[in-house]
Amino acid sequence: MMREIKPELMIFTGDTMPDGYKHQIRSFARMVWGDSYLESLNPPFENPAHQSLHFVIGEGQALYSAARVNRTTIEHRGQHYVVYGLGGVMTYPAFRKMGFGSWIVRTATEHIYQQDDADMAVLWTETHNIPFYERLGWELT
């Protein structure tokens, strides 16, 4: 008989995230997005200039799914804009098709929508993932 899964959604800054979750996120990135490790085997966990929040679904020390929301300011033609970005969305293969990816993206997206200072939001993804994000309210422009 399969045990009951009891996930919890947590939100961390890079400083407050437990090292075990950081390690699992880095391991996933090495397996799936290995190109980020071609220049350095130990790249920074996050860019401090992006004021990141990390959304994590896990149980105990086991990471199921994660996403990162970055906040930064850009300048374009003399104007400054506050930009939020959703990235680093991942769900370990054993936990896919259980709704964790949708849960993490919905929660992170709601966080972005609640920010009064947001001028725009950007999502980084691969083309084959576009329908998934469109179902969760993101638009391709």
Coordinates of all heavy atoms in Angstrom, one line a residue, residues 8-18 21 51-58 65-69 103-104 106-112 114-115:
E8 N 3.5 20.3 2.1 CA 3.4 21.6 2.7 C 4.0 22.6 1.8 O 5.0 22.4 1.2 CB 4.1 21.6 4.0 CG 4.1 22.9 4.8 CD 4.9 22.9 6.1 OE1 5.5 21.8 6.4 OE2 5.0 23.9 6.7
L9 N 3.3 23.7 1.6 CA 3.8 24.8 0.8 C 4.5 25.8 1.8 O 4.0 26.2 2.7 CB 2.8 25.5 0.0 CG 3.3 26.5 -1.0 CD1 2.7 26.4 -2.3 CD2 3.3 27.9 -0.5
M10 N 5.8 26.1 1.4 CA 6.6 27.0 2.2 C 7.2 28.1 1.3 O 7.4 27.9 0.2 CB 7.7 26.2 2.9 CG 7.2 25.1 3.9 SD 8.4 23.9 4.2 CE 8.1 22.8 2.8
I11 N 7.5 29.3 1.9 CA 8.1 30.4 1.2 C 9.3 30.8 2.0 O 9.3 31.0 3.2 CB 7.1 31.5 1.0 CG1 5.9 31.1 0.3 CG2 7.8 32.7 0.3 CD1 4.8 32.1 0.2
F12 N 10.5 30.9 1.3 CA 11.7 31.3 1.9 C 12.4 32.4 1.1 O 12.2 32.5 -0.1 CB 12.7 30.1 1.9 CG 12.2 28.8 2.6 CD1 11.7 27.8 1.9 CD2 12.2 28.8 4.0 CE1 11.2 26.6 2.5 CE2 11.8 27.6 4.6 CZ 11.3 26.6 3.9
T13 N 13.3 33.1 1.8 CA 14.3 33.8 1.1 C 15.5 32.9 0.9 O 15.5 31.8 1.5 CB 14.8 35.1 1.9 OG1 15.4 34.6 3.1 CG2 13.6 36.0 2.2
G14 N 16.5 33.3 0.2 CA 17.7 32.5 0.0 C 18.4 32.3 1.3 O 19.0 31.2 1.6
D15 N 18.3 33.2 2.2 CA 18.9 33.1 3.5 C 18.2 32.2 4.5 O 18.8 31.6 5.4 CB 19.1 34.5 4.2 CG 20.1 35.4 3.5 OD1 21.0 34.9 2.8 OD2 19.9 36.6 3.6
T16 N 16.9 32.1 4.3 CA 16.1 31.3 5.3 C 15.8 29.9 4.8 O 15.3 29.1 5.6 CB 14.7 32.0 5.6 OG1 14.0 32.1 4.4 CG2 15.0 33.4 6.2
M17 N 16.1 29.6 3.5 CA 15.8 28.3 3.0 C 16.8 27.3 3.6 O 18.0 27.5 3.6 CB 15.9 28.2 1.5 CG 15.6 26.8 0.9 SD 15.8 26.7 -0.9 CE 14.4 27.6 -1.4
P18 N 16.2 26.1 4.1 CA 17.1 25.1 4.6 C 18.1 24.6 3.5 O 17.7 24.5 2.4 CB 16.1 24.0 5.0 CG 14.8 24.7 5.2 CD 14.8 25.8 4.2
Y21 N 16.9 21.8 1.1 CA 16.2 22.1 -0.1 C 17.0 22.8 -1.1 O 16.9 22.6 -2.3 CB 15.0 23.1 0.3 CG 13.9 22.4 1.1 CD1 13.2 23.1 2.1 CD2 13.5 21.1 0.8 CE1 12.1 22.5 2.7 CE2 12.4 20.5 1.5 CZ 11.8 21.2 2.5 OH 10.7 20.7 3.1
Q51 N 16.3 40.0 -5.4 CA 15.4 40.0 -4.2 C 14.4 38.8 -4.4 O 13.2 39.0 -4.4 CB 14.6 41.3 -4.1 CG 15.5 42.5 -4.0 CD 14.7 43.8 -4.0 OE1 13.5 43.9 -3.7 NE2 15.4 44.9 -4.4
S52 N 15.0 37.6 -4.4 CA 14.2 36.4 -4.7 C 13.4 35.9 -3.5 O 13.9 36.0 -2.4 CB 15.1 35.3 -5.2 OG 15.9 35.7 -6.3
L53 N 12.3 35.3 -3.9 CA 11.5 34.5 -2.9 C 11.4 33.1 -3.5 O 11.2 33.0 -4.7 CB 10.1 35.0 -2.7 CG 9.9 36.2 -1.7 CD1 8.4 36.5 -1.6 CD2 10.4 35.8 -0.3
H54 N 11.6 32.1 -2.7 CA 11.5 30.7 -3.2 C 10.3 30.0 -2.6 O 10.1 30.0 -1.4 CB 12.8 30.0 -2.7 CG 14.0 30.6 -3.2 ND1 14.6 30.3 -4.4 CD2 14.8 31.6 -2.7 CE1 15.7 31.0 -4.6 NE2 15.8 31.8 -3.5
F55 N 9.5 29.5 -3.5 CA 8.3 28.8 -3.2 C 8.6 27.3 -3.3 O 9.1 26.8 -4.3 CB 7.1 29.2 -4.1 CG 6.7 30.6 -4.0 CD1 7.5 31.6 -4.5 CD2 5.6 30.9 -3.4 CE1 7.1 33.0 -4.4 CE2 5.2 32.3 -3.2 CZ 6.0 33.3 -3.7
V56 N 8.3 26.6 -2.2 CA 8.7 25.2 -2.1 C 7.5 24.3 -1.6 O 6.8 24.7 -0.7 CB 9.9 25.0 -1.1 CG1 10.2 23.6 -0.8 CG2 11.1 25.7 -1.6
I57 N 7.3 23.2 -2.3 CA 6.4 22.2 -1.8 C 7.2 21.0 -1.4 O 8.0 20.5 -2.2 CB 5.3 21.8 -2.8 CG1 4.5 23.0 -3.2 CG2 4.5 20.7 -2.3 CD1 3.5 22.8 -4.3
G58 N 7.1 20.6 -0.1 CA 7.9 19.5 0.3 C 7.2 18.8 1.5 O 6.1 19.2 2.0
S65 N 8.4 20.1 -5.3 CA 8.3 21.1 -6.3 C 8.8 22.4 -5.8 O 8.8 22.7 -4.6 CB 6.9 21.2 -6.8 OG 6.7 22.0 -7.9
A66 N 9.3 23.3 -6.7 CA 9.8 24.6 -6.3 C 9.7 25.6 -7.5 O 9.6 25.2 -8.6 CB 11.3 24.5 -5.9
A67 N 9.7 26.9 -7.1 CA 9.7 27.9 -8.1 C 10.3 29.2 -7.4 O 10.3 29.3 -6.2 CB 8.3 28.3 -8.5
R68 N 10.8 30.1 -8.2 CA 11.5 31.3 -7.7 C 10.8 32.5 -8.3 O 10.5 32.5 -9.5 CB 13.0 31.3 -8.0 CG 13.7 32.4 -7.5 CD 15.2 32.3 -7.9 NE 15.4 32.4 -9.3 CZ 15.8 31.3 -10.1 NH1 16.0 30.1 -9.5 NH2 15.9 31.4 -11.4
V69 N 10.5 33.5 -7.5 CA 10.1 34.8 -7.9 C 11.2 35.8 -7.7 O 11.6 36.0 -6.6 CB 8.8 35.2 -7.2 CG1 8.4 36.7 -7.6 CG2 7.6 34.3 -7.6
W103 N 0.1 24.0 -8.5 CA 0.0 24.6 -7.2 C 1.1 25.6 -7.0 O 0.9 26.8 -6.6 CB 0.0 23.5 -6.1 CG -0.1 24.0 -4.7 CD1 -0.6 25.2 -4.2 CD2 0.1 23.2 -3.5 NE1 -0.6 25.2 -2.8 CE2 -0.2 24.0 -2.4 CE3 0.5 21.9 -3.3 CZ2 -0.1 23.5 -1.1 CZ3 0.6 21.4 -2.0 CH2 0.3 22.2 -0.9
I104 N 2.3 25.3 -7.3 CA 3.5 26.1 -7.0 C 3.4 27.4 -8.0 O 3.7 28.5 -7.5 CB 4.8 25.4 -7.1 CG1 5.9 26.1 -6.3 CG2 5.3 25.2 -8.5 CD1 6.0 25.6 -4.9
R106 N 0.7 28.6 -9.5 CA -0.5 29.4 -9.1 C -0.1 30.3 -7.9 O -0.4 31.5 -7.8 CB -1.7 28.6 -8.7 CG -2.8 28.7 -9.8 CD -4.1 28.0 -9.3 NE -4.3 26.7 -9.9 CZ -4.0 25.6 -9.3 NH1 -3.4 25.5 -8.1 NH2 -4.2 24.4 -9.9
T107 N 0.5 29.7 -6.9 CA 0.9 30.5 -5.7 C 1.9 31.5 -5.9 O 1.7 32.7 -5.5 CB 1.4 29.5 -4.6 OG1 0.4 28.5 -4.3 CG2 1.7 30.2 -3.3
A108 N 2.9 31.2 -6.7 CA 3.9 32.2 -7.0 C 3.3 33.3 -7.9 O 3.6 34.5 -7.7 CB 5.1 31.6 -7.7
T109 N 2.5 33.0 -8.8 CA 1.8 34.0 -9.7 C 0.9 34.9 -8.9 O 0.9 36.1 -9.1 CB 1.0 33.3 -10.8 OG1 1.9 32.5 -11.6 CG2 0.4 34.3 -11.7
E110 N 0.2 34.3 -7.9 CA -0.7 35.2 -7.1 C 0.2 36.1 -6.3 O -0.2 37.3 -6.1 CB -1.5 34.3 -6.1 CG -2.6 33.5 -6.8 CD -3.3 32.5 -5.8 OE1 -3.0 32.5 -4.6 OE2 -4.1 31.7 -6.4
H111 N 1.3 35.7 -5.8 CA 2.2 36.6 -5.1 C 2.6 37.8 -6.0 O 2.6 38.9 -5.6 CB 3.5 35.8 -4.6 CG 4.5 36.7 -4.1 ND1 4.5 37.3 -2.9 CD2 5.7 37.2 -4.7 CE1 5.5 38.1 -2.7 NE2 6.3 38.0 -3.8
I112 N 2.9 37.5 -7.2 CA 3.3 38.6 -8.2 C 2.2 39.5 -8.4 O 2.3 40.8 -8.3 CB 3.8 38.0 -9.5 CG1 5.1 37.2 -9.3 CG2 3.9 39.1 -10.6 CD1 5.5 36.4 -10.6
Q114 N -0.1 40.3 -6.4 CA -0.4 41.1 -5.2 C 0.6 42.2 -4.9 O 0.4 43.0 -4.0 CB -0.4 40.2 -4.0 CG -1.5 39.2 -4.0 CD -1.4 38.1 -2.9 OE1 -0.4 38.1 -2.2 NE2 -2.4 37.3 -2.8
Q115 N 1.6 42.3 -5.8 CA 2.7 43.3 -5.6 C 2.2 44.7 -6.2 O 2.1 44.8 -7.4 CB 4.0 42.9 -6.1 CG 4.5 41.5 -5.6 CD 4.4 41.5 -4.1 OE1 5.0 42.3 -3.4 NE2 3.7 40.5 -3.6

